[in-house]
Amino acid sequence: MFAAIEMKITVFFLDIIVLASQAFAWSHVDSEFTQEGLIAKDFTLVASSLQREHSQALESEWLSIQQKDQNDNLISVDCSTTPKLCKELNVRSFPTIRLYHQDGRVNRYRGPRKAASIKGFMRRSLRPAVSQVDDKNITSFTSIDDVVFIGHIPASDQLVERFRTVAEKYRDRYSFAIAGKRSAASVECHNNLDGLQHHLTADHLSTSSPSELEAFIKTCSTPLIPELTRRNEMSFYTTRKSLVHFFVGNDKERDTYVAEMRPLAKKYQEYLHFTTTDVNEYPNAAEMLGTRKGGLAVQNPNDGHTFPYTWDKPISAGTVERFLGDIVEGKVQPLGNKGGEGKLGPKGRSGHEEL
Ligand SMILES: *[C@@H]1O[C@H](CO)[C@@H](O)[C@H](O)[C@H]1NC(C)=O
């Protein structure tokens, strides 16, 4: 019964909010719009949604792309008013973003519903899955995207096919090119967000299974300071490195923290995982580690010791590095004072000089 009342109240106020924000609302194509309209242009990026409430987060991001780019290659479709079109386009889940090329090719977007990320997808989709580069334009290609893979693979090599297959699979997220010529095959990757480069060398490639190329893609594209989620947390706990947790309430807080800590995370990446956790998604996680939103805690998965950052000084790369140093020297008591001699890093390997 209470649920019914709550529903009524929500719907009532939602209607008011919707009316008030009408000026900035989606402007969907009308019911006359057909599939022919899509191929009238060389490409069209289409967002299909069903009910407004379910796509509000996407709506504001979409509008910001539309407004900034003045791009009439972007349209949005409300499948409740244009069901025929959505059926023709085979849209079954919502919201959906796809790029339709004039020649009939379609690229499907699977990333986060964020303007920057959608724009990246659009740029990638307008290039071939694998670009060709030579000595003159290879350098500019390395910085064309956040994550860029370049295969130095002779055209005759059987690796070309493998590289292409993987590129087709990940082309919505990363950029790929082949530079021919070199005698020994290798693949280089540029993670431009973190300023890191990775290489897969000839010996690796010659013996590698297709999954090795995929593993390489994962290694290079994983951010230096990733977001910890239920889905990926095991992969961090099983490496035996200690975790440096930070708890954020929104993307802006995350970006600020990541920018501040990136050099430190790079310096100690062999020993520590720096991560962020969204307190909205995981409301109890910070408390379990003795901290709160905006707080930091170091956790050693090997002995279960946790060290919440409780210093008065604000969290910065400098204070955190000193804090880590104090933990290693045994000057910081772990949460609950279990034993009191927490060490960072895997057992028997805590003798890293700088820590
Ligand atoms: C690089 O230059 C070559 C030769 O001019 C050209 O074929 C290729 O498309 C260029 N690649 C890119 C990514 O612009």
Side-chain angles (χ1 to χ4, degrees):
M1 184 179 100
F2 287 115
I5 292 170
E6 191 183 316
M7 183 75 154
K8 273 188 203 153
I9 294 173
T10 321
V11 170
F12 177 80
F13 285 104
L14 185 70
D15 279 345
I16 294 176
I17 293 164
V18 169
L19 282 174
S21 62
Q22 210 70 175
F24 303 104
W26 290 102
S27 65
H28 297 298
V29 296
D30 62 29
S31 54
E32 306 291 300
F33 193 89
T34 62
Q35 218 174 346
E36 278 75 58
L38 279 186
I39 52 169
K41 297 179 203 138
D42 49 352
F43 76 93
T44 313
L45 188 65
V46 183
S48 316
S49 59
L50 194 53
Q51 273 160 335
R52 202 161 178 277
E53 308 85 86
H54 296 148
S55 53
Q56 252 165 352
L58 174 61
E59 177 173 346
S60 61
E61 299 289 325
W62 190 259
L63 292 172
S64 92
I65 310 175
Q66 261 179 334
Q67 280 163 2
K68 277 200 196 110
D69 288 28
Q70 302 286 310
N71 196 337
D72 61 356
N73 290 89
L74 268 65
I75 64 164
S76 63
V77 173
D78 178 349
C79 290
S80 59
T81 59
T82 52
K84 190 163 164 279
L85 177 64
C86 292
K87 195 159 177 240
E88 281 170 357
L89 299 179
N90 217 354
V91 174
R92 291 208 205 87
S93 59
F94 305 97
T96 293
I97 296 174
R98 293 180 189 170
L99 192 139
Y100 294 86
H101 298 265
Q102 202 162 28
D103 63 11
R105 282 175 300 129
V106 183
N107 301 105
R108 286 152 212 265
Y109 181 69
R110 286 167 295 205
R113 292 163 195 165
K114 297 277 180 227
S117 177
I118 296 168
K119 277 196 272 188
F121 162 75
M122 190 163 85
R123 284 192 298 267
R124 269 167 235 132
S125 301
L126 298 177
R127 289 197 305 264
V130 180
S131 299
Q132 192 72 39
V133 292
D134 59 19
D135 294 345
K136 292 202 189 67
N137 54 23
I138 187 169
T139 311
S140 63
F141 196 85
T142 58
S143 55
I144 206 167
D145 204 344
D146 290 345
V147 179
V148 179
F149 294 88
I150 298 182
H152 296 275
I153 307 172
S156 57
D157 203 298
Q158 55 169 7
L159 257 175
V160 171
E161 239 0 83
R162 245 192 267 162
F163 189 79
R164 275 193 183 283
T165 307
V166 176
E168 287 287 351
K169 184 167 168 189
Y170 292 98
R171 64 169 301 173
D172 60 326
R173 280 160 273 182
Y174 318 122
S175 293
F176 296 83
I178 283 190
K181 292 226 179 91
R182 276 186 207 183
S183 51
S186 68
V187 180
E188 66 182 77
C189 172
H190 300 256
N191 181 326
N192 294 312
L193 285 176
D194 290 324
L196 292 172
Q197 270 135 53
H198 301 261
H199 293 268
L200 199 56
T201 55
D203 346 328
H204 259 106
L205 277 169
S206 57
T207 57
S208 75
S209 57
S211 65
E212 192 143 358
L213 252 182
E214 294 214 22
F216 180 68
I217 287 182
K218 191 157 180 232
T219 303
C220 182
S221 59
T222 302
L224 188 61
I225 306 185
E227 202 181 327
L228 202 65
T229 65
R230 200 160 283 140
R231 270 187 301 143
N232 68 13
E233 68 174 342
M234 273 325 282
S235 68
F236 298 108
Y237 285 110
T238 49
T239 63
R240 302 176 63 87
K241 295 181 193 178
S242 284
L243 282 92
V244 182
H245 296 273
F246 185 70
F247 295 91
V248 298
N250 57 49
D251 290 343
K252 193 159 168 279
E253 286 168 21
R254 172 176 295 115
D255 293 347
T256 308
Y257 175 78
V258 169
E260 170 71 20
M261 291 299 164
R262 195 175 270 131
L264 199 62
K266 211 178 279 189
K267 188 171 171 185
Y268 296 116
Q269 63 176 323
E270 237 186 288
Y271 309 94
L272 301 168
H273 290 301
F274 282 72
T275 64
T276 63
T277 302
D278 185 341
V279 291
N280 307 306
E281 217 167 321
Y282 304 101
N284 305 321
E287 201 182 320
M288 272 167 56
L289 297 175
T291 184
R292 65 200 134 57
K293 175 167 118 64
L296 180 143
V298 179
Q299 184 187 22
N300 181 342
N302 302 306
D303 58 16
H305 282 157
T306 300
F307 305 88
Y309 180 93
T310 51
W311 293 0
D312 288 338
K313 295 196 183 73
I315 288 171
S316 69
T319 54
V320 170
E321 191 168 22
R322 282 198 291 283
F323 182 65
L324 292 168
D326 278 10
I327 293 174
V328 172
E329 287 176 13
K331 293 184 192 160
V332 184
Q333 293 299 303
L335 193 64
N337 199 9
K338 286 179 282 184
E341 45 161 29
K343 287 240 192 315
L344 277 179
K347 271 189 183 126
R349 279 187 53 197
S350 49
H352 180 50
E353 263 89 81
E354 286 175 281
L355 258 185

